[in-house]
Amino acid sequence: MAALAGCTATPAPPPRPPTSSPTSEMPSVAPSVSRPVDLGPYYDQPCSLLNAQQLTELGFPADDQIEDEQDGARVCAWSRDNSNTDASFTLLSISIYTTGDPLAAAYQKFNSDRAEDKWQTIAFGEHTVRGLPAVTRGDRDDGSQCEATVGAGNGQGIVILGHLYTYNEKPELCDRLVTAAELVVDAVRR
């Protein structure tokens, strides 16, 4: 009887496809945040959330820093044109949102792109970053562009964007951004 049940279950499609697959159906509503983090105190200081050593260990420049306000967020960006090295261009930016719910927007963008059959989201993965819901969206199949979005609750969130163009390897950028997100959440919780 158990063998028969196993045979009939095999041809049936799984109830929920893996979340890291670019073809999986993702919910259009972001998960809730059980322990919200107030990002308000860090809105005016996004550049303080990663130090030079952390940036270097993640493979990003620790100089050429720019701080700006953009699309309702306070942004800090580090970039460098490395034309003479294996990495031709690197950029890392941290955006602090105190309104606008960037995590919900990331889910909506993914589902909108899928519905319109756009190629803008090559990979979408759900993560947990220090107990907070997060997603990564990779926008190039060579792994050179990725965005990690962490929900902080109450419509707040952190968006970390990375570009790393290399000549010799796939940079596994989304993995680096998840690590960066962990470091940023650690800094916010201190």
Side-chain angles (χ1 to χ4, degrees):
M1 185 85 128
L4 181 59
C7 290
T8 59
T10 303
R16 183 169 188 218
T19 58
S20 61
S21 168
T23 60
S24 60
E25 188 63 36
M26 300 299 295
S28 60
V29 178
S32 61
V33 177
S34 59
R35 288 184 34 213
V37 175
D38 182 16
L39 298 177
Y42 298 93
Y43 182 81
D44 287 327
Q45 47 186 325
C47 292
S48 72
L49 297 173
L50 289 177
N51 63 42
Q53 179 181 347
Q54 292 167 326
L55 287 163
T56 300
E57 288 173 0
L58 289 166
F60 292 98
D63 50 2
D64 298 329
Q65 173 181 304
I66 298 169
E67 194 167 329
D68 196 8
E69 194 157 355
Q70 192 174 47
D71 298 329
R74 192 74 183 160
V75 181
C76 182
W78 298 267
S79 66
R80 181 178 300 144
D81 181 357
N82 301 316
S83 299
N84 299 325
T85 67
D86 286 343
S88 65
F89 177 74
T90 56
L91 168 88
L92 180 76
S93 70
I94 299 172
S95 301
I96 302 296
Y97 289 83
T98 55
T99 62
D101 203 346
L103 185 62
Y107 275 83
Q108 290 168 351
K109 172 87 172 118
F110 175 78
N111 285 300
S112 171
D113 286 352
R114 294 257 330 209
E116 296 175 19
D117 198 26
K118 292 182 180 176
W119 286 95
Q120 292 166 330
T121 300
I122 301 299
F124 188 97
E126 292 181 299
H127 304 271
T128 301
V129 172
R130 304 292 196 242
L132 298 172
V135 295
T136 54
R137 292 186 310 144
D139 290 336
R140 290 181 55 102
D141 57 2
D142 65 1
S144 65
Q145 293 182 39
C146 188
E147 178 180 280
T149 305
V150 181
N154 301 320
Q156 299 183 35
I158 302 162
V159 176
I160 302 175
L161 177 65
H163 297 275
L164 183 60
Y165 297 105
T166 63
Y167 296 114
N168 300 324
E169 63 182 75
K170 281 192 163 187
E172 305 301 330
L173 188 54
C174 286
D175 293 340
R176 292 184 196 195
L177 295 190
V178 169
T179 301
E182 291 170 345
L183 295 169
V184 169
V185 170
D186 288 346
V188 167
R189 285 193 167 152
R190 279 190 203 126

